[in-house]
Amino acid sequence: KQRRERHIAFGLFLSSQALNNGNDDLLFIAVGQINRGGPGAVSNPLQKTMIASLNMNVGTKAVSLSDFASALDYFKHGILFLNQNHWENQYALSNELYGAAAEAACEINDPQLVMTFSDQLLSNSKSLEDRLNAMYIVVKSFRRAMLFQESKKFASNMLELLGEELPRPMGDSQLISDIRTMHGVISELSDDSFLNLKRAHDKKQIFIVKAYHELLLLFHIVAPNLMFSVCLRIVQVSLTVGITESSPIAFAHFAVLLLEIGDLSQAHRLGSLALQLAQELNVYGQSSMIIGIVQQYIAWTSEPLQSIAESHLFGYNTGMQAGDIGSSLLNYNFFVSTSFYSGKHLDVVRKISGDFIQELMR
């Protein structure tokens, strides 16, 4: 016990020095020392709360470095340092730690651990916002783990809590009418007006768009006939309430829909605007996906295949830099096929195809 107490004392001393000097490297070392001591070596409830907060702080810094495994470890230690009845007496900190732990577990693709933390969040949430955030993490985690039906079930419950209608299939007559109406609205909107759309500030509306964005990714795999209903809803919110970081992808998907209904000019225009809007919003993490959508499904109507192939290669590099591996590899796949159709020498196509296979095997 004395050894554990020395770890605590030394770690607390180092943490005060680190915080005073803004030294993050020392802070990581300090919290590591404290965690080696463990909650059993601390009897003061206020001190335990402070240590739990330190773990939350350091875990958040680890997330910013994309070190999700270490972040999860800090969040788990923070939870261990919470006092008894912490959901009653330390609700805000408990909600932060369990939520952050669930997010980190999602990032390392551990759906069982996500459910462990999310169950606590769902059981103890005191507000609709907190409950919805927990459900969103579960939906995202199940999708990434390819547990699609489970993800879809949670997503449906989430939409009901938000007071949103369930997505409609493409054959729905009212959906077709709504799409035509939105087609007219977008056609009358100038490029400048589009790129200067106001930003959304209403928390509920921002969350609705975030939830539908997750559904867009899910339905792309399990229910393609529901995708356009989802992207229409995001477009509606973006134009009436304000744009969010999820708006550009929805506009790109809606551009594909405009192509399907025969308006090639507006489809190409909206696809190009979606790419520009992503740059305006600095959502580089989505750029690779938007490039893939626009170049593969729309650009062929007006651009040379060689130019499209080069754009897909740019989309691949953009995705790799942003950590969007899925969209990046999809762009490289399109790069290979478009290079072939554009008349690239077969030796070149064979080489880049081999590179793609090697990338998939990594």
Side-chain angles (χ1 to χ4, degrees):
K1 183 178 179 180
Q2 287 182 340
R3 176 178 291 182
R4 295 201 306 272
E5 288 176 346
R6 284 198 293 269
H7 280 302
I8 295 289
F10 184 47
L12 288 173
F13 170 75
L14 289 179
S15 68
S16 64
Q17 296 296 310
L19 291 170
N20 287 336
N21 298 316
N23 189 333
D24 286 349
D25 291 338
L26 183 60
L27 187 60
F28 278 107
I29 295 171
V31 176
Q33 282 292 318
I34 293 170
N35 290 341
R36 288 183 67 183
V42 182
S43 57
N44 187 322
L46 293 177
Q47 196 171 62
K48 291 179 75 173
T49 299
M50 182 186 70
I51 293 171
S53 297
L54 279 173
N55 272 285
M56 182 68 209
N57 182 0
V58 172
T60 302
K61 292 180 185 296
V63 167
S64 70
L65 299 172
S66 298
D67 186 356
F68 299 105
S70 296
L72 177 59
D73 190 54
Y74 288 120
F75 296 139
K76 287 165 73 174
H77 274 97
I79 289 170
L80 292 176
F81 277 99
L82 291 170
N83 296 307
Q84 289 185 344
N85 301 320
H86 58 86
W87 281 110
E88 290 298 322
N89 302 321
Q90 298 169 286
Y91 177 79
L93 181 57
S94 299
N95 192 63
E96 273 191 307
L97 280 166
Y98 276 93
E103 283 277 13
C106 179
E107 292 296 335
I108 64 172
N109 200 21
D110 190 336
Q112 289 186 335
L113 201 53
V114 170
M115 283 306 304
T116 297
F117 296 122
S118 296
D119 281 344
Q120 285 290 312
L121 289 164
L122 293 170
S123 299
N124 295 283
S125 60
K126 293 183 178 181
S127 70
L128 178 61
E129 181 181 353
D130 291 342
R131 185 172 184 81
L132 287 169
N133 283 328
M135 295 178 74
Y136 173 80
I137 297 169
V138 174
V139 170
K140 181 168 65 172
S141 174
F142 280 159
R143 176 185 60 80
R144 290 185 175 183
M146 298 187 181
L147 300 170
F148 299 128
Q149 294 308 315
E150 292 86 343
S151 181
K152 188 177 179 181
K153 179 181 177 181
F154 265 89
S156 297
N157 293 336
M158 188 168 59
L159 288 181
E160 288 180 10
L161 283 175
L162 285 165
E164 290 285 305
E165 294 182 2
L166 294 178
R168 298 163 287 175
M170 192 53 195
D172 183 89
S173 59
Q174 185 58 50
L175 174 61
I176 294 172
S177 175
D178 292 343
I179 288 171
R180 287 173 178 164
T181 300
M182 185 54 66
H183 178 198
V185 171
I186 288 176
S187 298
E188 294 177 2
L189 198 64
S190 70
D191 290 4
D192 286 342
S193 296
F194 183 90
L195 294 173
N196 288 290
L197 288 168
K198 65 180 180 180
R199 294 293 297 265
H201 296 290
D202 183 278
K203 284 187 177 181
K204 181 180 179 182
Q205 297 300 323
I206 292 172
F207 184 86
I208 285 174
V209 171
K210 186 172 78 167
Y212 273 120
H213 179 207
E214 188 59 36
L215 279 179
L216 201 58
L217 300 176
L218 173 64
F219 288 162
H220 182 75
I221 301 169
V222 298
N225 66 324
L226 299 177
M227 280 183 60
F228 290 128
S229 176
V230 172
C231 82
L232 172 65
R233 184 66 183 123
I234 299 176
V235 170
Q236 287 172 335
V237 174
S238 298
L239 293 182
T240 56
V241 179
I243 55 174
T244 73
E245 293 182 352
S246 300
S247 298
I249 285 181
F251 284 124
H253 279 291
F254 198 81
V256 176
L257 180 54
L258 294 182
L259 184 66
E260 291 194 8
I261 63 178
D263 193 342
L264 276 63
S265 175
Q266 284 298 325
H268 189 270
R269 170 178 172 263
L270 185 58
S272 299
L273 288 171
L275 284 169
Q276 292 180 58
L277 186 62
Q279 294 175 349
E280 292 282 339
L281 297 177
N282 294 322
V283 285
Y284 296 110
Q286 298 178 21
S287 294
S288 180
M289 181 180 291
I290 297 171
I291 290 169
I293 294 168
V294 173
Q295 295 299 322
Q296 182 65 15
Y297 300 110
I298 300 171
W300 62 268
T301 62
S302 59
E303 297 180 22
L305 289 178
Q306 185 56 45
S307 173
I308 294 173
E310 292 172 359
S311 294
H312 279 308
L313 184 59
F314 177 73
Y316 163 76
N317 290 322
T318 300
M320 293 299 287
Q321 291 171 5
D324 184 0
I325 306 301
S327 297
S328 183
L329 292 177
L330 191 63
N331 267 293
Y332 201 89
N333 181 32
F334 290 150
F335 166 64
V336 173
S337 59
T338 309
S339 295
F340 173 75
Y341 291 124
S342 69
K344 274 284 187 183
H345 196 283
L346 288 179
D347 287 342
V348 175
V349 175
R350 187 180 295 112
K351 181 183 183 305
I352 60 177
S353 298
D355 292 342
F356 178 59
I357 292 170
Q358 290 297 318
E359 194 69 35
L360 287 175
M361 295 175 64
R362 286 176 57 183

